[in-house]
Amino acid sequence: MQSDQQLLKEIRACTICQDLPLGPNPILQFSSKAKILVAGQAPGQITHHKGKPFDDASGDRLRDWLGIDRDTFYDPEKLAVVPMGFCYPGKGKSGDLAPKAICAETWRKKILRELPDIELTLVIGKYAMDWHLPNRQERNLTETVKNWRHYIEQDTPVMPLPHPSPRNNIWLKKNPWFEEQLIPELKNLVTALLAPDKE
Ligand code: SF4
């Protein structure tokens, strides 16, 4: 078995966190051939039951932002979907709890070592920004996303994004530049990276 698949098998058998309300159920996808990394937060309760990342309204919006269909999105040789926590962490007073920090501490660097061909990282939400853009964020998430041109010009391009959840509809309305300027550029980048002659 290839080392990326061996690692995936190890992660899928992980039971480090004993206090998960629904028990361990790591949900992620990757292959060493992936070109784009989707770094999100952690699965929600519905995703826990479905066993598939972004198989919901948030995923539909994310695929729309990227300009890709489901087959492309769920092809691990194209996209790695590696959230900051792989298992549903449970609910807090204001939504889902934070991803288990031990998850990224245990697995994230090992996974990133297995992904040598990543040319674009989509960093979704605060937890992923803290990991992938340490000390490089603006004063809040909106300002960081607004500064997207700066991050995609780096040697390892990163695109900071808000969560595509319908709960962020108000944010999207308040920040029309996001869909007018950032999204067309994001679609262009993704199309170029996934073009057959790039494989
Ligand atoms: S959240 Fe991560 S570390 Fe915890 S049990 Fe799931 S895979 Fe393991």
Side-chain angles (χ1 to χ4, degrees):
M1 193 182 279
Q2 300 218 326
S3 59
D4 57 343
Q5 296 312 302
Q6 182 61 44
L7 178 59
L8 193 52
K9 197 173 159 198
E10 259 179 66
I11 295 168
R12 288 196 167 132
C14 177
T15 56
I16 290 175
C17 302
Q18 293 294 313
D19 59 347
L20 296 163
L22 303 180
N25 181 19
I27 296 170
L28 71 164
Q29 68 176 46
F30 66 83
S31 140
S32 57
K33 292 185 182 162
K35 295 271 173 39
I36 297 171
L37 169 62
V38 179
Q41 185 164 321
Q45 203 167 346
I46 293 172
T47 300
H48 171 92
H49 291 298
K50 285 187 171 175
K52 203 169 186 178
F54 286 108
D55 188 17
D56 55 11
S58 299
D60 289 341
R61 178 176 272 158
L62 179 59
R63 284 181 281 277
D64 185 47
W65 286 352
L66 303 177
I68 60 176
D69 59 18
R70 289 174 64 88
D71 286 351
T72 305
F73 186 86
Y74 290 115
D75 182 347
E77 298 197 355
K78 294 190 167 87
L79 268 83
V81 180
V82 183
M84 297 311 297
F86 305 146
C87 301
Y88 170 60
K91 274 219 182 314
K93 279 188 191 142
S94 55
D96 286 356
L97 292 172
K100 292 287 186 190
I102 186 77
C103 197
E105 285 161 18
T106 307
W107 298 114
R108 204 151 189 87
K109 282 189 182 154
K110 287 185 190 172
I111 296 172
L112 297 182
R113 277 200 292 271
E114 294 290 338
L115 302 177
D117 293 340
I118 295 295
E119 293 187 48
L120 174 65
T121 300
L122 310 176
V123 177
I124 301 175
K126 181 80 183 119
Y127 297 103
M129 284 180 194
D130 286 347
W131 178 280
H132 288 275
L133 296 171
N135 307 316
R136 291 165 58 206
Q137 295 169 54
E138 303 298 327
R139 65 189 165 92
N140 58 35
L141 183 140
T142 300
E143 293 301 316
T144 301
V145 177
K146 218 173 202 168
N147 198 20
W148 58 277
R149 287 189 181 85
H150 166 74
Y151 301 110
I152 58 166
E153 281 163 7
Q154 311 293 306
D155 290 345
T156 46
V158 167
M159 183 67 96
L161 295 171
H163 199 279
S165 162
R167 266 178 280 152
N168 270 339
N169 284 350
I170 293 172
W171 187 94
L172 291 170
K173 228 176 194 152
K174 273 193 191 158
N175 295 282
W177 51 267
F178 178 78
E179 288 184 321
E180 287 164 11
Q181 296 167 28
L182 185 153
I183 291 299
E185 184 63 26
L186 178 59
K187 283 192 166 106
N188 287 341
L189 282 170
V190 170
T191 302
L193 284 174
L194 298 183
D197 60 357
K198 282 281 289 177
E199 289 174 3

